[in-house]
Amino acid sequence: MAVKGLGQLDQTYDGSKLKIGIIHARWNRVIIDALVKGAIKRMMSLGVREENIIVETVPGSFELPWGSKRFHDKYQDLDVIIPIGVLIKGSTMHFEYISDSTTQALMKLQETIQIPVVFGLLTCLTEEQAIARAGLDEGKAMHNHGEDWGAAAVEMASKFGP
Ligand SMILES: O=Nc1c(NC[C@H](O)[C@H](O)[C@H](O)CO)[nH]c(=O)[nH]c1=O
């Protein structure tokens, strides 16, 4: 039995009328791409149409809050936004400053744009942690957190969307 992640949702959702924005950083791209794929796969399994999933990118995680704000300004009819980034701790404090500032900004962004913002930022101490959370650790846990973010997006947009 899968013990990690969000698991089954609390009810059945019809995602067919939802318009969902994914904005992702391009740092650690192999991991990012797996997370984005997982989110899209789970959202489509909940009825979201592929043509209603808009994908945009920014250079790095630090650009996610502003990029998400402008993304919402550009696509006024989004029901929810999933910013996705992968931060991996290096030998400096860069990781801590980006992780905290970006997290706080994404949380506050919901009040500004008045639609749910799903927290799709992986803040990992090692590359192995990031690989595992993108479901890329062959033969091990293989739990892709992107799938949880896709499910959370459908639930939040359905229950608490604009
Ligand atoms: O440094 N590590 C990372 C990183 N740095 C770049 C930063 O987000 C930003 O793009 C630049 O500072 C320019 O503003 N961005 C990530 O998404 N993951 C990392 O692991």
Side-chain angles (χ1 to χ4, degrees):
M1 177 183 77
V3 295
K4 290 188 176 179
L6 176 58
Q8 291 305 315
L9 288 175
D10 60 338
Q11 59 182 286
T12 305
Y13 293 99
D14 172 15
S16 61
K17 294 185 177 49
L18 295 178
K19 191 161 182 187
I20 299 179
I22 292 177
I23 181 166
H24 68 76
R26 296 192 301 272
W27 269 66
N28 305 310
R29 189 66 190 261
V30 169
I31 300 168
I32 289 279
D33 286 348
L35 293 165
V36 170
K37 203 169 161 193
I40 291 172
K41 178 184 139 196
R42 186 70 185 275
M43 291 193 290
M44 290 181 70
S45 76
L46 293 169
V48 178
R49 299 178 196 286
E50 191 166 13
E51 62 268 24
N52 288 340
I53 301 174
I54 317 292
V55 181
E56 183 53 277
T57 76
V58 291
S61 295
F62 187 79
E63 283 75 42
L64 285 171
W66 181 250
S68 297
K69 167 71 174 70
R70 301 297 285 142
F71 191 34
H72 173 263
D73 294 344
K74 181 177 176 184
Y75 296 97
Q76 291 282 333
D77 56 349
L78 291 178
D79 295 300
V80 58
I81 290 179
I82 315 173
I84 294 179
V86 175
L87 284 159
I88 298 174
K89 171 84 178 141
S91 53
T92 68
M93 289 289 288
H94 200 213
F95 167 86
E96 284 81 355
Y97 289 118
I98 298 178
S99 298
D100 184 50
S101 59
T102 300
T103 301
Q104 298 301 330
L106 290 175
M107 173 62 80
K108 290 193 185 78
L109 180 62
Q110 297 177 107
E111 291 155 30
T112 308
I113 62 176
Q114 289 295 297
I115 63 169
V117 173
V118 170
F119 185 64
L121 193 64
L122 282 189
T123 54
C124 299
L125 299 179
T126 64
E127 194 175 294
E128 291 69 27
Q129 284 182 354
I131 287 166
R133 283 154 184 76
L136 294 174
D137 51 343
E138 294 297 325
K140 292 186 186 147
M142 294 297 282
H143 174 68
N144 184 336
H145 286 228
E147 295 183 15
D148 296 338
W149 304 338
V154 171
E155 178 176 346
M156 291 302 287
S158 302
K159 281 181 179 172
F160 309 113

